[in-house]
Amino acid sequence: MTVDTVQAPAPGAAPGRLMRAEIKEQPAGWNRLLDEGQDAVARAAAAFRAADPTQVVLLARGSSDNAAIYGQYLIQIGLHLPAGLATPSVHTVYGRPVFPPRSCVLAVSQSGASADLVRTLAAAREAGCLTVSITNDPDSPLAAGAHAHIPLLAGPERSVAATKTYTSELLALWMFTRLVSGRRPEAPELAVLGEQVLERAGAECERWAERLSDVRRLLVVGRGYAYASAREAALKLMETSYVMAQGLSAADAEHGPVAVLDRQTPLLAISSHGPGTPSMASVVAAARAAGAPVEIIGDGTLAGDSIPALLPTDVPPDLAPLLEILPAQLLALELAVGRGNDPDRPRGLNKVTSTV
Amino acid sequence: MTVDTVQAPAPGAAPGRLMRAEIKEQPAGWNRLLDEGQDAVARAAAAFRAADPTQVVLLARGSSDNAAIYGQYLIQIGLHLPAGLATPSVHTVYGRPVFPPRSCVLAVSQSGASADLVRTLAAAREAGCLTVSITNDPDSPLAAGAHAHIPLLAGPERSVAATKTYTSELLALWMFTRLVSGRRPEAPELAVLGEQVLERAGAECERWAERLSDVRRLLVVGRGYAYASAREAALKLMETSYVMAQGLSAADAEHGPVAVLDRQTPLLAISSHGPGTPSMASVVAAARAAGAPVEIIGDGTLAGDSIPALLPTDVPPDLAPLLEILPAQLLALELAVGRGNDPDRPRGLNKVTSTV
């Protein structure tokens, strides 16, 4: 999807109409990708198994960079392969592309059009890496430039704030790693759980947004898989509600940033049940000690008084990020609309950001 | 340095006394490391050359994580080797350590005591990686646990906000990559330039802090080598002045976060002359269009009205980060003191943060 194919919201349309519709489309989009996308993912996985890379380098910007962080955890934990994030400017600014030997370079991008990613992927291919791309536009340069391409099949994303393409990127990465490791990418309950989370969060969201209506600063914290969710939640809040939000791993938060927490600076903890719970509990305790309001997107494991558990308890940890982000997307939307902003057209942003 | 050897500031001492003293010590500390530290760095570099790793994984938290990002650029650009940052929680939370074959794992830590880093380094060593550590405490577990250790020789750091150990970490990484590539780690002008930058910034800093005295939110942006500086400047401002500051690459800033800029939310651009200048100029233009105040730590290349050029123009790009951070450290100090905070004892933080 490039700028000129995106239909701008009609003048006078309700603010956030596109973002709201695209948030709701997600579970159906997941089922479409699980079903119709499986062949393309299987081809990419077969190429990966044939090349037998010893590690993966992920290449992304913006929301897709947060999806890439999820992919980094998934590949390390699920495939037991080292995985890192590329620093595109080493190539595009300093002209020194460096890729590990026998690596797979995996580009993740909604538009598939960002110039720095296109150039870096081309350099990786020239250096002998296996290249795989995940984009929502099968005609984009990143789709054409890779050995294998996985289309998101999410339909055009018209709101500037990425929502459905973000979770589709997560799901494509999950399907890919499942197939690489020889397991079928089946998640029959996922869309049902997604609908439930959207319903629960929808019912809470207005109250929640009202509680946070005056907030201008916020820390968002997660651990492990939820680190990606924390970053993406913060990015949504920044770009739609103009809240200065920072998404951190619970461990990094304790190395300094927790000092900003105060009565006007809440903590948003994203925590499904899992091995990261103890370190999340430690940050929540620090926030409470600082008198900071604590909001939790969780399954009830972390004690939180403010809002009921929004997440189910029986989700595999590697799929939890698809569900965790849904309440944050709705919160960003409601906060923005409540403040009189139009999250479909945030100030100062375009849908496709072309960085070099 | 562990908690019990740190002498707390005397009750009634001037707020920020320790941080101010430690900021000023930096140029002398650089000369000490360049001189007395060279043998240890040379031994680590010899071990690296003997092991001939095909890539480097950096392992760090907090300020040292920002030094590690500088190291990531330095190793990629200077040694033409792939370098990435470890995700310690994959090991300590999920119990799945994964290291690339024939890699060097390089741990950077002021205290050398953080439990997750110690465990991850031990796992890397067991997996057959070359392990190198850079710490300010030669008796720390990270120093003892690595094949080669580089001491920072910065003297005890007593302020909770790391300043002198941060720039010493940068310099140790610079010396290490120089020696690995067979070049002598000589920088005879560096300390002199550091003194000059401290003097210039010191003269501006009170005015500068006054201009920002009401600021509660700030974006800090850099590109390439200066990305590490942007992150470290943001961390200093967060932990001493409780400003919600976020340090971003210029490219990532344009993918959403620039939307938060407004009349009350300034942009701090960190930009020495270099190939990243065009993308920095683009973010500065976006900030001006949003009516956001723009502050620049630069050498005059980026047009900035607010403060005179604080940096020299004739510094090699890979050494610029040592100088760029000095004005930001002073700003964090003056802002904190001006607000009645004691940056030597930020609320909610301890000197050694032990995350697991």
Side-chain angles (χ1 to χ4, degrees):
Chain A
M1 183 165 64
T2 56
V3 174
D4 51 359
T5 66
V6 177
Q7 197 182 327
R17 186 177 54 86
L18 299 178
M19 186 179 177
R20 190 181 305 277
E22 289 168 357
I23 289 172
K24 291 203 176 137
E25 282 172 34
Q26 291 176 97
W30 301 343
N31 276 342
R32 187 164 55 242
L33 181 56
L34 283 165
D35 178 20
E36 298 167 31
Q38 197 169 146
D39 287 353
V41 183
R43 280 193 297 274
F48 189 97
R49 292 175 68 152
D52 194 23
T54 54
Q55 64 193 289
V56 179
V57 176
L58 292 129
L59 190 58
R61 288 279 185 205
S63 284
S64 302
D65 201 34
N66 299 330
I69 288 171
Y70 165 79
Q72 184 186 17
Y73 281 79
L74 205 56
I75 291 162
Q76 292 182 93
I77 297 165
L79 298 182
H80 209 62
L81 280 178
L85 301 179
T87 47
S89 73
V90 169
H91 177 45
T92 56
V93 176
Y94 295 99
R96 303 279 286 173
V98 274
F99 302 99
R102 282 192 56 205
S103 59
C104 168
V105 174
L106 178 49
V108 187
S109 167
Q110 180 273 132
S111 70
S114 193
D116 49 356
L117 304 190
V118 172
R119 286 171 60 193
T120 306
L121 190 86
R125 188 167 181 160
E126 211 168 291
C129 301
L130 172 70
T131 53
V132 176
S133 64
I134 297 176
T135 80
N136 200 31
D137 179 359
D139 300 320
S140 61
L142 270 186
H147 291 102
H149 174 250
I150 300 173
L152 293 176
L153 307 177
E157 188 168 61
R158 293 161 62 203
S159 174
V160 169
T163 53
K164 63 179 181 175
T165 58
Y166 174 72
T167 55
S168 294
E169 286 169 352
L170 300 186
L171 184 57
L173 287 161
W174 182 84
M175 293 169 69
F176 177 70
T177 53
R178 291 284 285 195
L179 279 161
V180 166
S181 63
R183 289 170 297 167
R184 296 184 62 80
E186 286 171 351
E189 299 299 316
L190 184 65
V192 177
L193 292 172
E195 298 288 5
Q196 288 169 1
V197 172
L198 284 172
E199 200 183 312
R200 274 187 236 168
E204 285 302 321
C205 221
E206 273 184 57
R207 262 191 301 266
W208 193 14
E210 202 167 306
R211 260 200 324 276
L212 296 176
S213 60
D214 293 331
V215 163
R216 304 236 319 139
R217 330 186 320 165
L218 185 81
L219 271 195
V220 195
V221 170
R223 189 86 198 264
Y225 285 116
Y227 170 47
S229 308
R231 288 179 52 119
E232 175 62 8
L235 182 55
K236 281 313 97 160
L237 289 164
M238 289 182 88
E239 64 187 357
T240 62
S241 319
Y242 317 141
V243 173
M244 180 69 117
Q246 187 155 171
L248 295 162
S249 119
D252 286 322
E254 295 199 72
H255 279 265
V258 290
V260 303
L261 295 170
D262 58 26
R263 291 185 193 284
Q264 284 79 46
T265 311
L267 174 77
L268 171 58
I270 303 189
S271 177
S272 300
H273 182 68
T277 305
S279 84
M280 290 298 296
S282 163
V283 178
V284 167
R288 294 223 159 100
V294 174
E295 303 282 348
I296 295 175
I297 296 178
D299 59 9
T301 312
L302 270 183
D305 343 316
S306 318
I307 43 174
L310 296 174
L311 304 177
T313 51
D314 51 352
V315 180
D318 57 352
L319 280 172
L322 280 94
L323 303 177
E324 286 162 1
I325 198 62
L326 302 177
Q329 293 171 340
L330 283 171
L331 175 64
L333 168 71
E334 296 299 349
L335 256 187
V337 171
R339 289 172 180 203
N341 307 331
D342 183 355
D344 293 337
R345 293 184 285 194
R347 63 188 186 195
L349 299 181
N350 295 310
K351 182 64 185 164
V352 176
T353 308
S354 191
T355 46
V356 292
Chain B
M1 184 165 65
T2 55
V3 173
D4 51 0
T5 67
V6 178
Q7 197 182 328
R17 187 176 54 86
L18 299 178
M19 186 179 177
R20 190 181 305 278
E22 289 168 356
I23 289 172
K24 291 202 178 139
E25 282 171 34
Q26 290 176 99
W30 301 344
N31 277 342
R32 186 165 54 242
L33 181 57
L34 283 164
D35 179 19
E36 297 168 30
Q38 199 170 145
D39 286 352
V41 183
R43 279 192 298 274
F48 189 97
R49 293 176 68 153
D52 194 23
T54 55
Q55 63 194 291
V56 179
V57 176
L58 292 130
L59 189 59
R61 288 279 185 203
S63 284
S64 302
D65 200 35
N66 300 329
I69 288 171
Y70 165 80
Q72 184 186 17
Y73 281 80
L74 204 56
I75 291 162
Q76 291 183 92
I77 297 164
L79 298 182
H80 208 62
L81 279 180
L85 300 180
T87 46
S89 74
V90 169
H91 176 46
T92 55
V93 177
Y94 295 100
R96 302 280 285 173
V98 274
F99 303 97
R102 282 190 58 202
S103 59
C104 168
V105 174
L106 178 48
V108 187
S109 166
Q110 180 274 132
S111 71
S114 192
D116 50 355
L117 305 189
V118 172
R119 286 171 60 191
T120 306
L121 190 86
R125 189 166 181 163
E126 210 167 294
C129 301
L130 173 70
T131 53
V132 176
S133 64
I134 298 177
T135 81
N136 200 32
D137 179 0
D139 300 321
S140 62
L142 270 185
H147 291 102
H149 175 251
I150 300 173
L152 294 175
L153 307 177
E157 188 168 62
R158 291 161 62 201
S159 174
V160 169
T163 54
K164 63 179 181 174
T165 58
Y166 174 72
T167 54
S168 294
E169 285 169 353
L170 300 185
L171 184 57
L173 287 161
W174 181 84
M175 293 169 69
F176 176 69
T177 54
R178 291 282 286 195
L179 279 162
V180 166
S181 64
R183 290 170 297 166
R184 296 183 62 79
E186 285 171 354
E189 300 299 318
L190 184 65
V192 177
L193 292 171
E195 299 286 6
Q196 288 170 0
V197 171
L198 284 173
E199 199 182 313
R200 275 188 236 168
E204 285 302 323
C205 221
E206 273 184 58
R207 263 191 299 267
W208 193 15
E210 204 167 307
R211 264 201 319 279
L212 295 176
S213 61
D214 292 331
V215 163
R216 304 238 316 142
R217 326 185 324 164
L218 186 81
L219 272 195
V220 195
V221 169
R223 189 86 197 265
Y225 285 116
Y227 169 47
S229 308
R231 288 179 51 118
E232 175 61 8
L235 182 55
K236 280 313 100 166
L237 288 164
M238 290 182 87
E239 62 186 0
T240 62
S241 319
Y242 317 140
V243 173
M244 181 69 121
Q246 188 155 170
L248 294 162
S249 118
D252 286 321
E254 295 198 74
H255 280 266
V258 289
V260 303
L261 294 169
D262 58 26
R263 290 184 194 285
Q264 283 78 48
T265 310
L267 175 76
L268 171 58
I270 303 189
S271 178
S272 300
H273 182 67
T277 305
S279 84
M280 289 299 297
S282 163
V283 178
V284 167
R288 295 223 160 99
V294 174
E295 303 282 349
I296 295 175
I297 296 178
D299 59 9
T301 311
L302 272 183
D305 341 318
S306 317
I307 44 175
L310 296 175
L311 303 178
T313 52
D314 51 353
V315 180
D318 58 353
L319 280 173
L322 280 94
L323 303 177
E324 286 162 1
I325 197 63
L326 302 178
Q329 293 171 341
L330 283 170
L331 174 65
L333 168 72
E334 295 298 350
L335 257 187
V337 171
R339 288 170 180 206
N341 306 332
D342 183 356
D344 292 336
R345 292 182 287 194
R347 63 187 185 194
L349 300 180
N350 295 311
K351 181 66 185 164
V352 176
T353 308
S354 191
T355 47
V356 292

